[in-house]
Amino acid sequence: MWRTALKILYIPLDERPCNYDYPQHIARLQSQLQLVVPPRPLLGQKKQAADVSGLWRWLIDSLPDCDCAILSLEMLVYGGLLPSRLHQLSREKLHNRLQQFHNIAHLWPNIRLLASNLIMRAPRYNSSEEEPDYYETYGEQLFQWGWLQDRAQTVGLSTEGLTVSEKTQLESLSASIPTQPLNDYRERRRKNLDVNLAAIDLVTDGVLDFLAIPQDDCAEFGFTTSDRRQVYDRIETRGLHEQIHVYPGADEVGCSLLARASTQRLERAIKIYPLYSSRQGSQVIPLYEDRPIAESTQLHIRAAGAEVAGSPSDADIVLAVNVPDQYSQEAKDQPKQLNISQSPSEFIKHIQQLVTEGTPVAVADVAFANGGDTALIQQIDAACGWETVIAYGGWNTCGNSLGSTIAAAVVGKESNVQEAIAFNTIYHLLEDWGYQTIVRWALMESWLADLGATYFDLDGHSEVVEAEIGRRLKAVWTSIVRHSFQDWSITSLDIRSPWQRMFEIGIALQIRRQATSRDVSTPQ
């Protein structure tokens, strides 16, 4: 299928491993695929915006010998994901940066441009960790105000659409939220919506070949939902449903677009059959999202440039989706007893049968939010071994896991680099399940507080925390993953905390096949 080389330029959403490293891991699944990425220092640091001018210069210098480009509008317009929520940029500045996309399309008309731009989220809690400072005090109230305003407009086209208690709550919120934060928040949202609508215009004008518009932290009503309706209206008016996809997600979008870009060299579309651990569970709306898992799964398959197959026999890949039983909950709240899983034994047996028959199987572990299902890890380890699947993902949100797993499956379906498949699967088992589900919360119980650090602030103790995470991850791996990857050894496992907090980590991982002396390691 991969007869010719493909060189892709990639501008990520931000500098964290999920956006910077994961697509590089996936790109290594095909020796004919080269991913060109900017130096990490150009991308800023958390709330500190990237060197946008320098990044554009790097892009223009690097683009001419590439086949296509995957471009984050957040990075190239605002300077990154968090800066897109904090900026004070004028509409003129935003317009000028968007105009540069016309320039590169004019200079290199044969280079395909795939882009992404999120609908700005509206968290329902008080925290300024990733939002403006005033969100620490007024975040929950701002969310509720937006939720009630949008519900009123959606249900009744006025406040007559609200119940008496909801009207009272809206009046109370309007009186208690100071004018400055409310106006600041609404104005930035309007600017960011303008950028999304302008991005749709770029597709209309033929500048962008494809646009992904993921939604982070969705809800039935609210600021984000209101913005999404306006985005939908413009897409509908322009008839651009095939070229613009809107779906729940965020940090997986670089992986999804990489998969989509890679499919241009294939003879036909890859077909993926979703196999759910439970039909009922596939209809659960997961935490932080606004639609059932089954609907999101189909959207993520299409975003990756693949098609949904009607049956396993008609599929190139089976996506085994581990779903909740009745409702979605956090991974840290799953049963602590081992071998208690929401995954029925028939699901595990079906996976085992498929891999025995030689069908490529990828596992999207979305039974819980923010971490994998421990019992599922054990069951597949015992039944057929994790080295028999071509991809695994179980991190953060349902959309994050679906998107990255599907992307790795699409690119790795006929991989000629078995070491890269093993590396990618081991990496995600370590981080998505080992760290997010087990080690992170074990450290939170008392160890971190005794050290003088907190979940969102390691307070200068990062080296000690990172070393302890690494030590515990190795212990978890050796005690629970007992049957998989017998031909591989983990020769190095070093941890870094990119934003000096516990929410996510980066792993400098090296693995080695027992019969060789060559290490496979994290891209530098």
Side-chain angles (χ1 to χ4, degrees):
M1 295 174 67
W2 286 75
R3 293 192 175 93
T4 58
L6 183 64
K7 189 174 184 179
I8 301 174
L9 181 143
Y10 173 58
I11 302 287
L13 181 61
D14 63 31
E15 80 285 1
R16 287 175 299 159
C18 57
N19 291 308
Y20 191 80
D21 294 342
Y22 289 7
Q24 293 185 70
H25 296 169
I26 292 173
R28 295 196 312 179
L29 296 170
Q30 291 289 344
S31 59
Q32 295 282 67
L33 179 56
Q34 180 181 358
L35 197 64
V36 181
V37 298
R40 207 179 218 127
L42 268 183
L43 301 178
Q45 173 68 24
K46 198 176 180 180
K47 290 186 175 183
Q48 178 185 338
D51 176 3
V52 175
S53 297
L55 197 55
W56 273 101
R57 288 193 297 271
W58 177 88
L59 187 158
I60 292 169
D61 289 342
S62 306
L63 191 60
D65 62 342
C66 293
D67 298 291
C68 65
I70 297 169
L71 308 173
S72 165
L73 270 64
E74 278 89 0
M75 182 60 71
L76 289 169
V77 173
Y78 309 106
L81 176 59
L82 268 56
S84 75
R85 304 171 186 165
L86 305 168
H87 71 89
Q88 297 293 342
L89 298 169
S90 67
R91 282 181 164 80
E92 180 182 11
K93 172 69 78 173
L94 297 174
H95 173 78
N96 289 340
R97 288 177 174 176
L98 285 168
Q99 184 61 37
Q100 294 188 72
F101 290 95
H102 285 273
N103 298 337
I104 61 174
H106 174 72
L107 289 170
W108 300 288
N110 295 325
I111 298 177
R112 295 178 66 225
L113 303 180
L114 289 71
S116 64
N117 196 58
L118 274 65
I119 295 175
M120 182 176 160
R121 75 175 192 172
R124 62 188 69 198
Y125 47 79
N126 290 340
S127 173
S128 60
E129 171 67 15
E130 298 185 8
E131 318 298 329
D133 289 345
Y134 54 73
Y135 223 88
E136 187 73 37
T137 304
Y138 301 107
E140 184 177 359
Q141 291 174 286
L142 285 166
F143 170 83
Q144 291 294 339
W145 188 93
W147 194 96
L148 291 166
Q149 284 284 355
D150 184 48
R151 175 174 165 78
Q153 295 299 317
T154 304
V155 176
L157 301 180
S158 70
T159 53
E160 295 306 314
L162 299 177
T163 65
V164 173
S165 63
E166 286 172 339
K167 290 179 186 178
T168 301
Q169 184 183 11
L170 180 58
E171 291 170 0
S172 175
L173 287 168
S174 298
S176 61
I177 302 174
T179 301
Q180 190 278 329
L182 181 60
N183 288 346
D184 176 83
Y185 190 68
R186 296 179 70 190
E187 175 61 14
R188 187 175 300 105
R189 293 200 67 94
R190 281 190 286 266
K191 289 179 181 178
N192 288 16
L193 175 60
D194 288 346
V195 169
N196 258 322
L197 297 178
I200 296 172
D201 293 341
L202 292 176
V203 178
T204 303
D205 296 340
V207 172
L208 299 179
D209 294 275
F210 182 81
L211 175 65
I213 305 181
Q215 308 166 86
D216 193 9
D217 280 3
C218 313
E220 183 181 7
F221 300 106
F223 287 112
T224 302
T225 309
S226 175
D227 292 347
R228 184 190 67 200
R229 279 195 295 272
Q230 296 184 63
V231 166
Y232 274 156
D233 286 346
R234 182 159 296 191
I235 294 171
E236 178 77 26
T237 301
R238 306 284 175 82
L240 295 171
H241 296 94
E242 293 302 314
Q243 293 170 271
I244 304 175
H245 292 185
V246 184
Y247 53 88
D251 292 320
E252 81 297 324
V253 68
C255 300
S256 298
L257 293 185
L258 173 60
R260 188 178 191 90
S262 73
T263 61
Q264 68 177 307
R265 295 295 174 90
L266 303 182
E267 296 174 350
R268 63 175 179 83
I270 289 175
K271 293 184 178 181
I272 300 177
Y273 178 76
L275 172 68
Y276 298 102
S277 59
S278 159
R279 184 179 299 274
Q280 176 181 339
S282 72
Q283 297 305 311
V284 169
I285 298 176
L287 294 176
Y288 314 112
E289 297 187 4
D290 64 351
R291 64 197 71 193
I293 292 170
E295 182 179 342
S296 290
T297 300
Q298 296 196 31
L299 292 169
H300 278 278
I301 289 173
R302 292 182 59 239
E307 294 179 357
V308 179
S311 67
S313 60
D314 189 41
D316 299 298
I317 300 166
V318 170
L319 180 70
V321 188
N322 185 39
V323 296
D325 183 14
Q326 296 179 333
Y327 59 91
S328 181
Q329 60 182 323
E330 297 284 351
K332 66 183 178 65
D333 297 325
Q334 65 183 280
K336 296 298 186 289
Q337 300 93 332
L338 301 182
N339 295 319
I340 296 179
S341 177
Q342 303 196 63
S343 302
S345 58
E346 291 79 9
F347 179 60
I348 305 300
K349 289 178 181 178
H350 204 160
I351 293 173
Q352 186 177 18
Q353 178 184 349
L354 288 165
V355 299
T356 300
E357 294 170 351
T359 301
V361 176
V363 179
D365 189 1
V366 299
F368 302 100
N370 288 305
D373 179 347
T374 297
L376 174 77
I377 304 302
Q378 289 183 298
Q379 288 171 323
I380 292 182
D381 176 56
C384 54
W386 279 100
E387 70 276 7
T388 63
V389 307
I390 61 172
Y392 168 79
W395 58 291
N396 292 7
T397 68
C398 175
N400 292 156
S401 297
L402 286 170
S404 60
T405 305
I406 291 167
V410 168
V411 178
K413 174 185 172 292
E414 294 189 1
S415 175
N416 53 1
V417 191
Q418 292 302 310
E419 293 88 348
I421 293 180
F423 176 92
N424 199 48
T425 304
I426 291 171
Y427 189 105
H428 281 283
L429 287 169
L430 284 167
E431 186 184 354
D432 304 4
W433 159 71
Y435 176 69
Q436 292 196 24
T437 299
I438 299 178
V439 172
R440 169 167 62 178
W441 302 109
L443 292 176
M444 287 297 298
E445 287 179 357
S446 61
W447 188 88
L448 203 66
D450 292 344
L451 191 66
T454 66
Y455 186 86
F456 284 117
D457 185 5
L458 298 186
D459 193 28
H461 300 287
S462 59
E463 290 188 9
V464 175
V465 173
E466 290 162 358
E468 184 67 10
I469 291 171
R471 187 187 69 78
R472 296 197 185 204
L473 261 185
K474 291 176 185 176
V476 166
W477 181 265
T478 55
S479 64
I480 297 180
V481 183
R482 298 179 178 177
H483 307 286
S484 304
F485 300 107
Q486 294 296 308
D487 293 336
W488 294 89
S489 60
I490 296 175
T491 57
S492 179
L493 195 164
D494 294 319
I495 306 299
R496 64 182 180 88
S497 304
W499 284 358
Q500 300 299 295
R501 63 184 189 178
M502 298 294 288
F503 184 75
E504 71 276 283
I505 57 172
I507 304 177
L509 174 67
Q510 289 186 340
I511 64 172
R512 178 182 297 171
R513 189 189 291 271
Q514 304 289 18
T516 72
S517 59
R518 185 167 68 90
D519 283 347
V520 181
S521 60
T522 304
Q524 299 301 310

